[in-house]
Amino acid sequence: MPLNPFVLEVGNFMRYGIISDIHSNLEALDAVLGDIQGQHIDAIICLGDIVGYGANPNECVHRVRQLTDQVIVGNHDHAAVGLTDISYFNPHAKRAVMWTTKVLSSDHFHYLAELPFTIQREDLFFVHATASDPPAWNYLFSSQIALAEFEAFQGRCCFIGHSHQPMTFSLENRGLPQRIENLTCSPQGRYIVNVGSVGQPRDGDPRACYAIFDDQQGKLRLRRVAYDVQATQRKILQAGLPPVLALRLAHGE
Ligand code: ZN
């Protein structure tokens, strides 16, 4: 498919496409990029975990590098290049990380190793896991933790990934997690938004997930995009990766 480069330059951008947790799933990534092309997006931001679990790490890193220079690192990217301890990974994730390390091109390996933990753009903050301690790879599910996280970033919105479960936390709502597909941010409000996962959704919906944020209007929209799950599953099995990593994609878990 033809790709348009979304390279950020200095200045204010109106509409962000925010993608996260691609996990070497090329079919899901291409479906999302096809959808993005019709959404009048000015800039794409990638919140990390480009690799891990799936069978196309090199292809996915290549795509992301073509698309945007606004990319932060995820725990699976860091693990694949030997920068994060994988002893806490479950056995399937561990096998996938070791396989990824073996097949990654040295160019893509060095690219992943150099990615930053965070991006701040105007009053928007981007991090894979949590703003308070990015390299700790903590998960954010509860209002108690969310309220503490609001102290840890500057600006109105913090965009995260990592849990593969799209949800929104707002200060107005005392940090309670909410499932919101369309949100109009109030001008004085502050928000933490988990944009879900492109390549391995875990909220029961197998379709790829990403977010569009219109900076000027304060409008957030989650998009779900169907892709060829069976093609991805076949590749995972052919690569000799754990079958459970293929099976779970059909159920979005
Ligand atoms: Zn992930």
Side-chain angles (χ1 to χ4, degrees), residues 4-32:
N4 292 332
F6 291 93
V7 176
L8 273 184
E9 287 165 17
V10 179
N12 266 327
F13 285 91
M14 303 282 286
R15 279 166 73 80
Y16 292 89
I18 307 166
I19 59 177
S20 190
D21 296 274
I22 297 159
H23 285 295
S24 303
N25 184 337
L26 186 62
E27 290 71 31
L29 177 58
D30 277 348
V32 162

Side-chain angles (χ1 to χ4, degrees), residues 38-142:
Q39 301 295 326
H40 309 289
I41 299 296
D42 299 306
I44 291 181
I45 309 251
C46 176
L47 304 185
D49 275 6
I50 305 171
V51 303
Y53 297 130
N56 287 118
N58 286 308
E59 294 81 355
C60 289
V61 176
H62 179 74
R63 285 276 199 286
V64 170
R65 290 178 74 169
Q66 277 187 312
L67 274 176
T68 177
D69 59 355
Q70 301 294 298
V71 183
I72 52 180
V73 73
N75 54 319
H76 286 254
D77 308 317
H78 240 206
V81 299
L83 292 173
T84 281
D85 175 20
I86 58 168
S87 59
Y88 75 94
F89 275 45
N90 72 50
H92 306 307
K94 209 181 281 182
R95 260 183 70 192
V97 162
M98 288 159 68
W99 179 88
T100 301
T101 305
K102 216 168 53 190
V103 303
L104 258 185
S105 76
S106 74
D107 185 37
H108 291 333
F109 187 101
H110 292 296
Y111 167 79
L112 293 179
E114 296 292 317
L115 290 175
F117 280 103
T118 64
I119 294 173
Q120 177 94 49
R121 285 193 59 80
E122 313 289 334
D123 61 354
L124 308 179
F125 187 75
F126 303 88
V127 62
H128 182 70
T130 58
S132 60
D133 192 358
W137 312 118
N138 294 321
Y139 289 93
L140 173 50
F141 287 117
S142 74

